[in-house]
Amino acid sequence: MGSAAPLSASVLLLLLLLLRAEQPRGAELTFELPDNAKQCFHEEVEQGVKFSLDYQVITGGHYDVDCYVEDPQGNTIYRETKKQYDSFTYRAEVKGVYQFCFSNEFSTFSHKTVYFDFQVGDEPPILPDMGNRVTALTQMESACVTIHEALKTVIDSQTHYRLREAQDRARAEDLNSRVSYWSIGETIALFVVSFSQVLLLKSFFTEKRPITLASCSRAPHVPAWSSSPRSPRRIAQGGGRTMLLW
């Protein structure tokens, strides 16, 4: 029982230290960017404060977008065109509202999905007065710092894999729709070619009989030799019968 109390106190201290570790102020957002459109965001930053911008195009077109950042005086401090992903870090020289925009104005029909992470300020130390300490960290404090850094790495990895999964899923769905449309087109073409071949082969075995005017004007039930203008050359008699030879 005596060893359980220090262990519980150590675990409680570890949890309190992790909860005290505040994250810098910022925003993380995924938004839709239509074609021929521009989307801007604004953030007020104090002088001397560092801010960072990470962005990535998840879906649409060639997965590229234009991005630029302007300071409160309207000066462009960052500009990139047709980038799939990028990172930008800057320490504010003047206080005011900073503007960062994403543009898809160069695209006429491609709809984009963009993810960005905007962080303002430095991350505070996980331990109080950690920067001014002259003594070594205790084993508990070292464990807190190690766990905190590992958790940050896990969060970054999860964000990266989540974006990759969304991008791969969008590509797979686009490929599936293209294969489906191509298969439907091939099926229709196959039916048209098969039907044309059947009609062509049927025309080869169809008998065509020409009809003349002489055959149409011939009287029915009348032998062809009866209309001959020739006269009999000899009359043979015998046995009470008379025979005409033509």
Side-chain angles (χ1 to χ4, degrees), residues 1-242:
M1 298 295 293
S3 60
L7 181 60
S8 301
S10 301
V11 173
L12 181 60
L13 178 61
L14 176 61
L15 293 177
L16 290 176
L17 290 176
L18 291 176
L19 290 176
R20 288 188 71 257
E22 300 178 356
Q23 296 294 330
R25 177 170 54 93
E28 186 177 6
L29 182 65
T30 301
F31 66 96
E32 302 290 337
L33 186 61
D35 53 288
N36 296 320
K38 181 177 68 173
Q39 185 71 37
C40 294
F41 302 88
H42 305 80
E43 184 69 27
E44 185 175 0
V45 183
E46 298 291 334
Q47 183 179 5
V49 176
K50 184 180 69 174
F51 64 89
S52 61
L53 173 65
D54 300 329
Y55 65 91
Q56 179 177 347
V57 181
I58 302 177
T59 62
H62 296 286
Y63 302 92
D64 53 355
V65 70
D66 295 343
C67 179
Y68 65 90
V69 181
E70 293 183 352
D71 61 6
Q73 298 177 352
N75 300 322
T76 302
I77 58 178
Y78 170 83
R79 178 180 292 274
E80 290 290 342
T81 58
K82 296 185 178 181
K83 295 283 290 188
Q84 295 184 355
Y85 59 89
D86 200 8
S87 300
F88 171 70
T89 303
Y90 183 78
R91 191 170 294 275
E93 297 179 355
V94 294
K95 177 184 177 181
V97 177
Y98 285 77
Q99 174 181 260
F100 56 101
C101 300
F102 300 93
S103 175
N104 192 31
E105 296 175 332
F106 62 89
S107 180
T108 56
F109 56 87
S110 297
H111 188 88
K112 307 290 178 61
T113 303
V114 183
Y115 161 84
F116 75 88
D117 183 13
F118 188 78
Q119 300 293 334
V120 180
D122 297 322
E123 183 179 3
I126 185 175
L127 300 175
D129 300 330
M130 186 175 177
N132 301 325
R133 295 186 59 172
V134 295
T135 59
L137 298 177
T138 63
Q139 184 177 2
M140 180 61 67
E141 292 173 343
S142 300
C144 291
V145 174
T146 303
I147 293 176
H148 179 65
E149 296 296 331
L151 289 177
K152 288 176 55 180
T153 304
V154 169
I155 292 175
D156 294 339
S157 300
Q158 287 180 343
T159 302
H160 173 71
Y161 288 121
R162 186 174 69 251
L163 295 177
R164 288 290 301 273
E165 187 272 336
Q167 192 176 51
D168 294 341
R169 183 177 65 250
R171 289 181 177 178
E173 291 177 352
D174 181 63
L175 181 61
N176 180 50
S177 61
R178 292 186 181 184
V179 170
S180 299
Y181 292 147
W182 182 262
S183 300
I184 293 174
E186 285 188 340
T187 303
I188 295 175
L190 182 62
F191 275 110
V192 171
V193 171
S194 300
F195 185 73
S196 302
Q197 289 180 347
V198 170
L199 294 180
L200 183 62
L201 291 176
K202 185 178 179 181
S203 64
F204 290 160
F205 296 98
T206 302
E207 184 180 0
K208 298 180 179 180
R209 296 179 179 180
I211 302 177
T212 61
L213 295 177
S215 60
C216 294
S217 61
R218 182 178 298 173
H221 307 294
V222 178
W225 54 267
S226 62
S227 60
S228 176
R230 295 181 301 169
S231 58
R233 294 184 298 176
R234 188 176 60 177
I235 299 177
Q237 294 182 355
R241 290 184 295 182
T242 303

